């Protein structure tokens, strides 16, 4: 019986090791700078980390480590399945969320998904971005990597539609840079929405209390009308414009806009927060910049050179995401380029207590200062009560007396002894009266 048990144990251990090995076997490239280590999952139709029809395959940024200590990004849906459309990671990007080039609501029809390849519709239904369409002809990718940068590009054509997509990902200091180029290689115009999902999370942490984010635009309670879940209750403004006893978003008056928000509690497994803030900017009005941080202040700030028109928010207990959307239109042979800069920061750099994250900072500082002063005074009093403390002071007095009589001006040894005794008596009397004894 023991032998059978041992065989079962060994078999189970081997299976677990195989599964762990497979989990780490996704093709990837690790980029390093003096402060960052970034894992990029490279496209692969057979073994790739992501092989589904939704997200662009070269946009899978895995584990990011800052200063060899602070880590970002892990699977937010577990167990991870490369063929499930929503199982992207990091800065997963998507083109054609509403209507990809060539899509028809007809079973068996084929369409082009930029950054994925040729997909097939297996239902007589409108396009669904999270539906698991079959990828019948994956894009062929060419990749080239160095120690701190990775370049990838792919070309795909279907009928009158075609594209060339190039991506260069590099690291310098604490900044991750993502350069994009998209060219229309077909005979028909390409008109599509594009965005990055920006799946922010910290390994081992749930999306929780005092996670914060800052939006590119000012939002009011009216901006939160198209929200689901308990977004109106959980998201709180943290800027000085917060007004108590007002109707709307946790005390935010409709006329008091804010850019900075925090979560008022940790999300549980059933929470799904989603907000469509609508068309919040035009092509020239607002910088495409936002930031997210965990409760300690670790996070990133992301800047995009492309304009944006729509802003979405999404959060579950395993991730939090701000998603700026922009619409692009390319005529045949036309191309466009844009860049994302992502600067990762630690709580130490941000300041563990941010100016808008915690209330009562002045009280806390005053309390700590009073505690320190009280400790210092108590320590002085305790030391002064110690006999060794008194003897050390007496010894210093004794040494001074010796220096005073060595010139022989004070007379005999008896006189010196009498003065020394008097010194001890006088010091003891002063010490007692000084401390109330």
């Amino acid at each position: 019986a023991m032998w059978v048990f041992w065989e079962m144990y060994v078999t189970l251990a081997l299976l677990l090791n195989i599964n762990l090995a497979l989990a780490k076997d996704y093709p990837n490239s690790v980029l390093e700078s003096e402060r960052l280590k970034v894992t990029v999952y490279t496209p692969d139709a057979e073994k790739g980390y992501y092989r589904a029809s939704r997200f662009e395959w070269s946009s899978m940024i895995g584990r990011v480590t800052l200063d060899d200590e602070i880590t970002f990004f892990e699977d937010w849906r577990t167990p991870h399945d490369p063929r499930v459309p929503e199982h992207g990671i990091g800065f997963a990007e998507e083109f054609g969320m509403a209507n990809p080039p060539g899509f028809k609501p007809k079973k068996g029809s084929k369409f082009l998904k930029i950054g994925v390849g040729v997909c097939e519709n297996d239902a007589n239904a409108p396009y669904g971005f999270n539906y698991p369409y079959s990828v019948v002809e994956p894009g062929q990718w060419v990749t080239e990597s160095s120690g701190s940068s990775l370049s990838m590009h792919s070309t795909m054509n279907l009928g009158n539609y075609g594209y060339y997509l190039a991506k260069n990902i590099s690291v310098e200091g604490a900044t991750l840079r993502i350069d994009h180029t998209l060219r229309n290689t077909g005979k028909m115009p390409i008109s599509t929405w594009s965005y990055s999902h920006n799946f922010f999370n910290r390994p081992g942490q749930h999306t929780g209390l005092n996670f914060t984010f800052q939006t590119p635009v000012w939002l009011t309670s009216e901006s939160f009308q198209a929200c689901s879940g308990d977004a109106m209750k959980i998201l709180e403004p943290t800027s000085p414009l917060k007004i108590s006893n007002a109707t709307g978003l946790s005390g935010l008056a409709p006329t008091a806009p804010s850019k900075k928000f925090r979560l008022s509690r940790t999300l549980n497994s059933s929470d799904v927060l989603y907000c469509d803030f609508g068309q919040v900017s035009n092509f020239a009005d607002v910088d495409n910049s936002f930031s997210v941080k965990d409760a300690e202040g670790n996070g990133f700030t992301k800047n995009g050179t492309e304009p944006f028109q729509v802003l979405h928010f999404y959060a579950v207990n395993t991730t939090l995401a701000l998603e700026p959307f922009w619409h692009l239109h390319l005529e045949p042979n036309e191309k466009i380029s844009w860049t994302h800069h992502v600067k990762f920061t630690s709580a130490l750099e941000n300041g563990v207590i941010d100016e808008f994250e915690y209330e009562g900072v002045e009280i806390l500082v005053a309390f700590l200062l009073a505690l320190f002063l009280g400790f210092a005074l108590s320590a002085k009093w305790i030391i002064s009560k110690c006999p060794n403390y008194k003897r050390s002071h007496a010894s210093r007095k004794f040494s001074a007396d010796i220096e005073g009589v060595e010139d022989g001006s004070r007379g005999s040894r008896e006189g010196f002894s009498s003065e020394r005794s008097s010194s001890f008596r006088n010091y003891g009397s002063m010490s007692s009266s000084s401390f109330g004894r």
Side-chain angles (χ1 to χ4, degrees):
M2 289 296 295
W3 179 253
V4 173
F5 175 81
W6 175 251
E7 284 187 333
M8 292 175 61
Y9 173 81
V10 171
T11 302
L12 179 61
L14 288 173
L15 288 174
L16 287 175
N17 286 333
I18 290 173
N19 287 334
L20 289 175
L22 288 175
K24 297 179 180 179
D25 199 33
Y26 298 120
N28 67 82
S29 181
V30 178
L31 311 181
E32 296 189 51
S33 68
E34 61 271 25
R35 296 193 62 192
L36 283 183
K37 180 181 289 186
V38 178
T39 299
V40 182
Y41 292 113
T42 51
D44 190 301
E46 299 297 328
K47 298 184 295 182
Y49 175 88
Y50 188 82
R51 288 166 263 163
S53 57
R54 178 178 177 181
F55 294 117
E56 186 262 296
W57 286 12
S58 69
S59 63
M60 300 297 130
I61 307 292
R63 181 64 55 88
V64 173
T65 303
L66 175 66
D67 297 330
D68 296 321
E69 181 179 0
I70 304 167
T71 55
F72 302 91
F73 304 154
E74 66 176 354
D75 298 339
W76 70 284
R77 291 294 197 203
T78 55
H80 174 69
D81 188 336
R83 299 193 181 279
V84 174
E86 68 175 357
H87 282 206
I89 192 172
F91 302 111
E93 300 179 31
E94 181 178 10
F95 296 92
M97 183 179 184
N99 192 27
F103 180 84
K104 297 178 181 179
K106 180 180 179 181
K107 186 175 181 179
S109 62
K110 294 180 175 60
F111 61 95
L112 201 60
K113 189 73 171 177
I114 297 174
V116 177
V118 177
C119 301
E120 184 176 50
N121 187 6
D122 60 359
N124 295 317
Y127 182 75
F129 65 89
N130 230 15
Y131 186 83
Y133 296 101
S134 299
V135 182
V136 294
E137 189 178 348
Q140 299 299 309
W141 291 88
V142 177
T143 63
E144 184 176 346
S145 177
S146 66
S148 61
S149 66
L150 170 68
S151 63
M152 299 171 280
H153 63 87
S154 177
T155 301
M156 182 58 67
N157 294 280
L158 176 65
N160 291 324
Y161 293 99
Y163 70 84
Y164 166 82
L165 177 65
K167 185 83 67 71
N168 188 77
I169 303 174
S170 59
V171 291
E172 181 177 357
T175 300
L176 172 69
R177 174 173 173 152
I178 308 172
D179 295 297
H180 312 70
T181 296
L182 178 64
R183 183 167 66 240
N184 183 353
T185 61
K187 299 178 181 180
M188 295 290 291
I190 292 178
S191 186
T192 184
W193 287 93
S194 176
Y195 73 101
S196 173
H197 208 299
N198 303 309
F199 290 110
F200 174 74
N201 57 19
R202 295 285 316 284
Q205 293 188 22
H206 287 303
T207 306
L209 177 66
N210 283 329
F211 270 50
T212 62
F213 61 92
Q214 180 168 336
T215 62
V217 292
W218 296 97
L219 302 176
T220 70
S221 59
E222 294 176 340
S223 305
F224 287 78
Q225 298 305 310
C227 289
S228 62
D230 286 333
M232 292 285 287
K233 298 178 180 179
I234 297 174
L235 302 180
E236 292 185 343
T238 58
S239 71
L241 294 174
K242 181 178 179 182
I243 299 177
S244 59
N245 300 321
T247 59
L249 174 63
S250 300
L252 180 67
T255 56
S258 180
K259 285 186 176 182
K260 302 172 182 179
F261 298 85
R262 69 174 165 213
L263 273 68
S264 62
R265 68 168 174 83
T266 298
L267 303 186
N268 56 50
S269 59
S270 63
D271 284 319
V272 179
L273 309 185
Y274 172 75
C275 291
D276 179 354
F277 296 124
Q279 189 161 345
V280 294
S281 68
N282 61 35
F283 280 96
D285 275 351
V286 183
D287 289 336
N288 186 356
S289 176
F290 68 91
S291 63
V292 291
K293 290 186 284 186
D294 67 6
E296 296 176 349
N298 304 297
F300 66 78
T301 298
K302 186 176 183 181
N303 297 279
T305 60
E306 79 277 21
F308 82 100
Q309 294 98 338
V310 173
L311 182 65
H312 289 187
F313 170 85
Y314 175 82
V316 292
N317 71 335
T318 54
T319 191
L320 180 152
L322 276 174
E323 310 162 26
F325 282 71
W326 69 298
H327 190 268
L328 58 91
H329 180 90
L330 295 176
E331 293 292 332
N333 297 318
E334 188 179 3
K335 74 174 183 178
I336 191 169
S337 297
W338 67 100
T339 300
H340 294 160
H341 294 90
V342 187
K343 183 178 181 181
F344 292 88
T345 52
S346 66
L348 183 63
E349 292 173 290
N350 287 322
V352 175
I353 300 176
D354 193 89
E355 62 178 354
F356 63 85
E357 285 184 346
Y358 300 99
E359 299 177 354
V361 174
E362 297 85 354
I363 297 175
L364 177 61
V365 172
F367 172 76
L368 292 176
L369 182 60
L371 187 65
F372 173 77
L373 292 175
F375 174 79
L377 292 174
S378 298
K380 183 177 180 180
W381 185 84
I382 292 172
I383 292 173
S384 69
K385 296 296 183 180
C386 178
N388 291 334
Y389 175 83
K390 295 181 179 180
R391 284 198 293 270
S392 66
H393 278 65
S395 297
R396 287 196 291 272
K397 177 65 176 176
F398 176 67
S399 299
D401 288 339
I402 291 176
E403 293 175 358
V405 300
E406 279 184 344
D407 59 1
S409 63
R410 295 205 178 184
S412 65
R413 182 182 300 272
E414 290 78 7
F416 166 71
S417 300
S418 176
E419 186 173 345
R420 183 183 64 177
S421 300
S422 176
S423 297
F424 274 116
R425 286 193 298 274
N426 291 338
Y427 181 82
S429 176
M430 180 187 68
S431 300
S432 298
S433 61
S434 297
F435 291 100
R437 293 187 63 183

